[in-house]
Amino acid sequence: MGDKNRVINGIPASPGISLGRAYIYHRNSKTVNKRLIPSEKIKDEVKRFQRAVELAIEDLTKLQEKIAKNLDQNTLKIFSAHQAVLEDPEVIEVTIVRIRQEKVNAEYIFNDVINGWISNYSTLDNSFFRERTADFEDVLYRVLTKLTGEISFKKFDKTTPVILIARNLSPSDTAEIGRGTVCGLVTDIGGQTSHTAIVARGLGVPAVVGAKVATSEIDEGMLIIIDGNSGTIYLEPDDQTIQKYKSLLAKQVAFKTELQELNNLPAVTIDGRLIELSANIELPVEIDDVLEKGADGIGLYRTEFLYLVRNDLPSEEEQFQVYSEIARRVAPNNVIIRTLDLGADKISSQLLKEEINPALGQRGIRLCLSHPEMFKVQLRAILRASVNGNIRVMFPMISGYSELEQAKDLFQETCDDLKQAGISHDSSVPLGIMVEVPSAAVTANDLAKGVDFFSIGTNDLIQYTIAADRGNSNIASLYNPCHPAVLRLVAGIIDSAHNNSIWVGVCGVMAANPLTACILLGLGVDELSMSPNDIPWIRRLIRSVNYDELRQLSSEAIKLGTSEEIEKYVEPYRIKRQF
Ligand code: PEP
Ligand code: MG
């Protein structure tokens, strides 16, 4: 505190710039005491718990109605997810059984059950689940409030816009705060895909998360600027910084209007190169967004989420229904269904033995090949659904040709079984692989001869090439998509694909970053696939660049020796296009 123009850096979570006074938001903490309940009162204790859950569900329903007009579908889905937790037998029934068995008060048991889920999820090497622990916290607070009669949410009563600073924000906190009075969000914890980020994007509010020291360094009422594009927060900025950001703000307003107008225009460069702009989805509910943003199809459907949300194996019929529905809705565009990419890094279950180093263990196609019966259930479901749209199948984590052949053999066996049983399917479904392991990248020329397409999984390719865990914030600075080794591998993969006349896309986060997207476009990629929210501005980027210029730029960039040099070389091109 004190010096002018101090800077805190966090993770950019929702794009845009905001200038305003800080408002420190604290959620009341709760302590939950353990009480023994006499046997004759257990029935009442269970009823008290059930009533609290009912009331919490009623509150959520009202909240959804209240915010329905203001927030997008994504945000509403978050609240349905909370409702689902309150209807989940794994949560509710388990709590009731424990109240009866342990003869202990409802709030204590419920707190314990929810915290069990939170600690399970927070150890997963999957940011989607790690960051959704806020949902469980939210549900916990709602029910505890009903049980204890306390008010758990600090009322937000600001009438003039403020930048809200919090250690963490749950989706409910964010929604109760509402649109209009908050012009920016900063949290100490959280990642790029946390719910704070999702809700902030839904509200169109710039946000920086994971700023670590924000609540301790920022004082109530302090003038601050947050840059949601870079993750920078300026504390008590000087006049020069304020002027700079005011003019950037004016440009931002114009930019938003321009983006909306582009939604259904093709992603074509100035000199006429058409790029496919596709969406990555984890759950079928995201299809509305995909269609609204005018995506050219689904470039990556992470099917393991079907398994992850329930922690068991969905049946062939269930999978068939889900894949068919997606294929129908997205037709005539393609849906690339990635077969299960599960591993002990994502979830623990009977299928997965505990591993010392799960990211290098039995994940993705390795797990499927060692459980062919399970794999064939998924392949049957996909093949049956293939008659309902334009489905493509993609194998994850392929590390070499023999692994690919084993996967293709199982695919062929599944086709033969269906044919023999007279079950309709499309046996000519295109087959592709994720190129995300360095050994696959280096042998891409051979692998390209065995498949119809490649999609480069840069999230993993970066971590395996640099040996830098993608989820470890201690080495986050090493995990750099502009590392020359990564870019040269990507260039080689694209060339190998094209030399063998196959299509190649990129579905890692690199595709949604303007600087790296410029490099990928220049390297000749055919498709970029990203979360639906990122599509509009990457569409705008593509429509404002010149492919020939980018080709030149990228071919020079990848010759440079360090990430810093590469970034410095490409940055002016990006800035010229106001990104
Ligand atoms: C990737 O590795 O780049 C990718 C898109 O897949 P995931 O993030 O699911 O590993
Ligand atoms: Mg991957």
Side-chain angles (χ1 to χ4, degrees):
M1 274 149 273
D3 302 353
K4 276 232 165 216
N5 227 22
R6 273 187 323 115
V7 168
I8 299 178
N9 288 306
I11 299 166
S14 173
I17 290 151
S18 191
L19 187 153
R21 297 272 165 200
Y23 175 76
I24 315 291
Y25 185 79
H26 298 289
R27 166 180 254 178
N28 295 348
S29 58
K30 264 184 194 306
T31 44
V32 180
N33 296 320
K34 184 173 182 177
R35 274 185 296 117
L36 288 178
I37 307 288
S39 301
E40 67 277 14
K41 295 268 169 66
I42 290 292
K43 228 177 173 175
D44 293 342
E45 189 63 9
V46 168
K47 270 198 194 138
R48 193 170 75 87
F49 172 65
Q50 287 167 323
R51 182 69 192 136
V53 171
E54 276 167 27
L55 290 172
I57 291 176
E58 276 174 27
D59 275 5
L60 274 172
T61 314
K62 280 188 207 143
L63 182 61
Q64 287 178 63
E65 285 164 8
K66 194 172 108 192
I67 62 172
K69 295 182 209 87
N70 293 330
L71 290 175
D72 68 352
Q73 289 305 307
N74 256 352
T75 313
L76 283 176
K77 273 170 228 152
I78 292 167
F79 295 102
S80 333
H82 291 185
Q83 197 155 331
V85 172
L86 287 171
E87 286 161 358
D88 185 346
E90 295 268 353
V91 174
I92 304 305
E93 290 305 317
V94 165
T95 303
I96 293 173
V97 167
R98 283 191 51 192
I99 294 172
R100 286 188 183 127
Q101 279 173 353
E102 294 170 39
K103 300 188 179 18
V104 166
N105 56 321
E107 45 274 58
Y108 184 85
I109 300 285
F110 187 62
N111 187 44
D112 200 49
V113 169
I114 293 286
N115 278 312
W117 280 96
I118 291 174
S119 63
N120 276 346
Y121 273 22
S122 45
T123 54
L124 292 178
D125 183 25
N126 180 302
S127 55
F128 181 88
F129 284 95
R130 238 181 4 244
E131 288 156 5
R132 266 138 202 90
T133 54
D135 290 344
F136 281 100
E137 278 178 13
D138 209 286
V139 165
L140 176 63
Y141 273 82
R142 269 183 199 288
V143 175
L144 288 187
T145 302
K146 300 298 171 197
L147 284 169
T148 61
E150 291 166 28
I151 294 163
S152 66
F153 300 105
K154 173 180 173 178
K155 280 285 165 231
F156 182 77
D157 52 7
K158 291 281 158 194
T159 47
T160 50
V162 288
I163 297 180
L164 196 123
I165 318 293
R167 201 179 118 63
N168 192 14
L169 278 178
S170 73
S172 289
D173 289 332
T174 318
E176 292 207 7
I177 287 157
R179 192 204 281 268
T181 49
V182 169
C183 60
L185 291 173
V186 178
T187 57
D188 286 345
I189 55 180
Q192 239 166 4
T193 56
S194 66
H195 269 147
T196 308
I198 294 174
V199 176
R201 275 191 217 123
L203 289 164
V205 170
V208 177
V209 298
K212 292 185 180 138
V213 293
T215 51
S216 54
E217 301 269 320
I218 300 175
D219 293 331
E220 180 101 21
M222 187 184 263
L223 184 68
I224 59 172
I225 292 175
I226 67 167
D227 183 339
N229 306 313
S230 64
T232 316
I233 307 155
Y234 295 88
L235 315 191
E236 300 192 292
D238 58 20
D239 288 346
Q240 207 185 346
T241 312
I242 293 176
Q243 284 320 316
K244 177 182 147 194
Y245 274 93
K246 275 192 171 162
S247 81
L248 284 173
L249 251 171
K251 281 187 190 152
Q252 178 183 300
V253 173
F255 183 53
K256 273 197 175 168
T257 320
E258 186 192 324
L259 280 184
Q260 269 173 2
E261 286 164 8
L262 300 179
N263 253 359
N264 288 307
L265 295 176
V268 62
T269 64
I270 293 169
D271 51 345
R273 180 168 166 86
L274 190 65
I275 304 295
E276 278 181 53
L277 199 49
S278 316
N280 293 352
I281 63 162
E282 283 74 45
L283 296 167
V285 288
E286 290 171 84
I287 297 294
D288 288 344
D289 246 12
V290 172
L291 299 176
E292 187 200 310
K293 299 284 166 21
D296 295 320
I298 309 266
L300 169 66
Y301 171 26
R302 292 178 161 105
T303 57
E304 59 276 11
F305 281 80
L306 272 180
Y307 296 62
L308 290 169
V309 291
R310 44 191 279 166
N311 207 2
D312 68 356
L313 304 175
S315 67
E316 177 187 322
E317 192 55 31
E318 282 172 83
Q319 293 187 60
F320 165 69
Q321 296 295 347
V322 172
Y323 304 151
S324 296
E325 169 73 2
I326 295 177
R328 257 186 233 114
R329 293 197 62 196
V330 174
N333 289 328
N334 292 323
V335 177
I336 299 183
I337 300 185
R338 174 173 80 182
T339 58
L340 262 183
D341 186 12
L342 273 181
D345 55 334
K346 285 194 174 158
I347 198 160
S348 59
S349 81
Q350 309 99 303
L351 263 181
L352 307 163
K353 292 177 206 92
E354 212 170 281
E355 294 188 313
I356 294 171
N357 198 348
L360 300 180
Q362 203 181 44
R363 77 169 259 209
I365 199 69
R366 304 166 185 187
L367 182 77
C368 288
L369 294 178
S370 64
H371 293 83
E373 290 319 311
M374 172 195 76
F375 189 36
K376 281 170 90 173
V377 168
Q378 181 174 39
L379 293 175
R380 275 177 72 94
I382 298 174
L383 276 162
R384 284 175 55 205
S386 64
V387 295
N388 293 314
N390 289 315
I391 285 180
R392 296 172 158 210
V393 174
M394 177 159 75
F395 302 129
M397 287 289 292
I398 291 285
S399 64
Y401 205 87
S402 57
E403 221 172 18
L404 171 62
E405 290 212 303
Q406 288 174 59
K408 283 172 68 178
D409 285 349
L410 285 171
F411 183 83
Q412 193 50 53
E413 274 175 34
T414 314
C415 282
D416 296 345
D417 291 348
L418 288 171
K419 195 171 167 197
Q420 219 163 26
I423 299 171
S424 62
H425 66 284
D426 176 1
S427 57
S428 63
V429 163
L431 282 184
I433 57 167
M434 302 265 310
V435 185
E436 53 184 344
V437 178
S439 56
V442 172
T443 56
N445 195 46
D446 305 307
L447 290 165
K449 296 183 175 33
V451 291
D452 300 305
F453 67 93
F454 280 165
S455 184
I456 309 176
T458 51
N459 301 343
D460 277 318
L461 186 63
I462 298 166
Q463 84 162 343
Y464 293 130
T465 304
I466 307 177
D469 180 345
R470 63 196 255 190
N472 184 341
S473 57
N474 294 331
I475 40 90
S477 59
L478 283 177
Y479 184 93
N480 190 328
C482 285
H483 192 297
V486 172
L487 293 180
R488 289 177 206 169
L489 281 179
V490 169
I493 300 165
I494 296 171
D495 288 347
S496 298
H498 289 164
N499 290 341
N500 288 283
S501 308
I502 65 164
W503 177 100
V504 54
V506 172
C507 58
V509 171
M510 244 177 115
N513 172 306
L515 186 123
T516 46
C518 281
I519 301 175
L520 294 170
L521 291 168
L523 293 176
V525 79
D526 299 304
E527 178 233 34
L528 295 175
S529 190
M530 63 204 67
S531 114
N533 275 326
D534 290 316
I535 288 180
W537 68 321
I538 297 298
R539 183 190 304 282
R540 153 76 168 67
L541 172 80
I542 294 170
R543 293 179 61 85
S544 64
V545 296
N546 185 302
Y547 175 56
D548 266 348
E549 282 174 16
L550 283 181
R551 265 182 15 165
Q552 195 80 34
L553 187 87
S554 299
S555 76
E556 289 305 317
I558 63 169
K559 291 182 200 152
L560 298 170
T562 66
S563 331
E564 293 76 19
E565 284 173 289
I566 294 175
E567 282 165 11
K568 217 165 127 196
Y569 187 75
V570 182
E571 191 76 346
Y573 191 90
R574 179 185 71 82
I575 290 172
K576 218 165 101 190
R577 271 133 198 98
Q578 296 165 15
F579 273 90

